[in-house]
Amino acid sequence: MARVKFLCDADRCIECNACVTACKNEHEVPWGINRRRVVTINDGKPGERSVSMACMHCTDAPCAAVCPVSCFYTTADGVVLHSKDLCIGCGYCFYACPFGAPQYPKVGNFGSRGKMDKCTYCAGGPEADSTPAEYAKYGANRLAQGKLPICAEMCSTKSLLAGDGAIIAEIYKERVMKRGYGSGAWGWTTAYHEGIAV
Amino acid sequence: MTTSPSHIRSIIFALAILIAMPAMPVLAQQLGPDGAPNPTASVVPEQKLLQQSPRIEGRIDIPSERARVLMQPAGRQWDHFHEITLHWVGAIVILGMIALLGAAYLIIGRLRISKGRCGHKVLRFSSFERFSHWLTAASFVVLGLTGLNITFGKIVLLPIFGPEAFSSMSEAAKYVHNYVSAAFVIGLVLIVALWIKDNLPRKADIDWIKQGGGFIKSKHAPSGRFNAGEKLVFWFALGAGAAVIISGCLLIFPFYVTDIAGMQIAQVVHAVIAVLFIAVIIAHIYIGTLGMEGAFEAMATGEVDLNWAKEHHDLWLEEQLAKERLAARSGQSSAVPAE
Ligand code: HEM
Ligand code: SF4
Ligand code: SF4
């Protein structure tokens, strides 16, 4: 099976936030939880770039390593998922995640966190595929239906790419060669221990 | 150390760089030969930004400082600390201490009262002192066990209990750790208030160390209410307790006062100090129970045998007996009116 990845071509992202909106809508993500976000670097200055970021589904995922109840698992496609039934809301995965992906609904007093929520690569969770129980906890399981994540599908400039890592790397490489510049595959070296050499 | 002007200059330079750092990622707009902006040259390469600063931050519409951080590769280093360094340090320090104490028990054995008990009792700790001690001690044990469950539970307990039971237990342990922390804070404050006076260093401490701290039977180590060893435990508990409380509060109120790097540092401080603290307290428990005859009752009933006090806290015993005599005399004088 292919190793799926995300790639945001920052030289194309126009910060329209369609990916963010599509994600919220597709999974009915509650208020205050942001599975995907767009950060703008050097806002209003020369060299401004926007990057759409969510869980990168890392190789040797640090979130999975630090979880004190080991509630993560990696699918055959390389998607990093977790069980909300087992999560204790300790917040450690957020400290370990290089991309700020894990989100927590605030429940109760002080800083006490609820069950962690994050991007599932539109692949649901441990429940049986495409069941209401799975939808309620993790949102839609598009992967089980043979579809790619909604954020990348919706991207109007095709800045955000999802799919087989080797194929999207090839697409990015071609783009950089053609236009003559590229700011890099954001997060790839940190997430996958390899960048894309152009 | 002398501070020459060149030192000061380099410090100011370093400060200026630190202040200028957030502005550094801005790269100047590069223009082509025709004067038009050149998108190729003004590109912002990710790797360059990471070389300039440990995190890449930008602007975001979500009203959260956390969300502004696009990337923090240090998460991987924190993962390494938590999964490799902490496991080794924790296991070596705690198991090492237990092994050391086991060896001490086998080699030195239980320190007996050399002259045996005489049966006469002296009050050593008031009931309020004992309450403060046990409040701190009980909350410490609970915090230590529930904390170690976060560190080692998945290695030791998860295979035994299975994922569901282990998760439910860990969730309960998390809440217990968070709430029992309040009891520990109160206990530590009480202990410090009650005992700081008797723990200030004095001349007898040096003699006590020179005489082998009471471990050498042929020598007598003089001591006031607390000996130099106990004082070390006191000051360690005060320092480590403060560190664990401050870092623990930062962890309980995540991101209230600090950013992601601060949270990681708070966790590292909390975990490292906690395992050292646990090791030191294991030694403290050993000496107070198995290691020395006649010590435990001081904290249990509050009273110790006179011979034990003579052997371990002679200077304190003298003061105590003097006080008792004084109290008895003034008590007599008021009870029996002069004729
Ligand atoms: C005011 C006191 C304290 C506060 C507020 C506090 C708070 C916390 C918090 C919030 C955590 C993160 C995990 C969780 O949510 O359960 C934690 C972890 C931990 N605490 Fe405490 N704690 C306190 C005192 C102590 C003491 C006295 C000890 C040691 C005896 C201790 C040992 C630990 C350990 C070993 C961990 C796990 C570290 C790790 O593996 O990441 N804590 N504490
Ligand atoms: S991006 Fe964060 S949450 Fe996603 S796999 Fe990597 S460490 Fe885990
Ligand atoms: S918040 Fe949940 S998923 Fe994240 S590390 Fe803690 S228990 Fe694991």
Side-chain angles (χ1 to χ4, degrees), chain A residues 92, chain B residues 82 86 140 143-144 147-148 150-151 174 177-178 181 184-185 244-245 248-249 251-252 267 270-271 274 278:
Chain A
Y92 276 26
Chain B
H82 193 264
L86 180 59
F140 185 89
L143 288 168
L148 287 179
I150 294 284
T151 319
K174 178 188 103 163
H177 193 91
N178 291 357
S181 65
F184 178 75
V185 176
V244 165
I245 288 170
C249 287
L251 291 173
I252 275 200
Q267 192 282 336
H270 194 79
I278 291 169

Side-chain angles (χ1 to χ4, degrees), chain B residues 121 123 125 130 296-304:
Chain B
K121 300 271 177 198
L123 182 69
F125 293 114
R130 277 175 282 144
F296 186 73
E297 53 210 58
M299 259 323 150
T301 64
E303 291 181 329
V304 289

Side-chain angles (χ1 to χ4, degrees), chain B residues 116-150:
Chain B
R117 289 169 187 274
C118 74
H120 184 76
K121 300 271 177 198
V122 202
L123 182 69
R124 181 153 165 78
F125 293 114
S126 73
S127 54
F128 187 61
E129 283 177 318
R130 277 175 282 144
F131 165 77
S132 305
H133 174 268
W134 288 118
L135 179 65
T136 317
S139 55
F140 185 89
V141 171
V142 171
L143 288 168
L145 291 176
T146 51
L148 287 179
N149 180 55
I150 294 284

